Amino acid sequence: QVQLVESGGGLVQPGGSLRLSCAASGSTFSINTMGWYRQAPGKQRDLVAIITSSGRTNYADSMKGRFTISSDNAENTVFLQMNSLRPEDTAVYYCYANRLMGDATLYHYWGQGTQVTVSS
């Protein structure tokens, strides 16, 4: 099992910045990918950005150029630097991780979520 704990959410004005962190614990030895998804009220949970253990990244189009994902593999931590925040970025942000086992089984894990509110 993998436990994910997010931190860094809060209230920020439009155009401001926030940095989210997510620390993984437990059976972290086979984590393949970590990242972030978000869910606004009444909407589905959508990809924000992911990063693989080898450092490859993937972003949702609307986040490119504004958000940056990074990781510290030694600490099993993933970060999301969010700049130029907009009101439409308001959502609960969920940390995500998966583990790829030797038999090709993929296990998925989610954090509890952290609220990001962009408002003046």
Side-chain angles (χ1 to χ4, degrees):
Q1 290 293 321
V2 172
Q3 294 78 43
L4 302 173
V5 178
E6 304 107 332
S7 61
L11 173 65
V12 64
Q13 292 187 343
S17 298
L18 279 177
R19 187 180 192 233
L20 305 183
S21 301
C22 173
S25 61
S27 300
T28 60
F29 59 92
S30 54
I31 287 179
N32 180 61
T33 299
M34 293 187 72
W36 297 90
Y37 285 70
R38 71 184 187 185
Q39 188 168 18
K43 296 189 176 181
Q44 67 181 20
R45 190 174 296 187
D46 291 325
L47 169 72
V48 175
I50 55 173
I51 184 167
T52 69
S53 57
S54 61
R56 290 191 300 174
T57 60
N58 186 38
Y59 294 87
D61 287 343
S62 62
M63 284 63 157
K64 290 179 181 177
R66 298 190 301 126
F67 293 6
T68 302
I69 191 168
S70 60
S71 64
D72 182 337
N73 290 341
E75 297 294 330
N76 297 305
T77 301
V78 64
F79 307 95
L80 184 69
Q81 178 66 42
M82 304 185 292
N83 299 326
S84 301
L85 283 161
R86 307 165 179 166
E88 54 264 39
D89 294 317
T90 296
V92 178
Y93 284 70
Y94 294 92
C95 183
Y96 166 82
N98 64 40
R99 294 170 64 208
L100 182 62
M101 309 307 290
D103 61 357
T105 302
L106 195 63
Y107 292 92
H108 305 274
Y109 304 92
W110 295 93
Q112 292 297 307
T114 185
Q115 177 70 46
V116 171
T117 302
V118 184
S119 175
S120 55

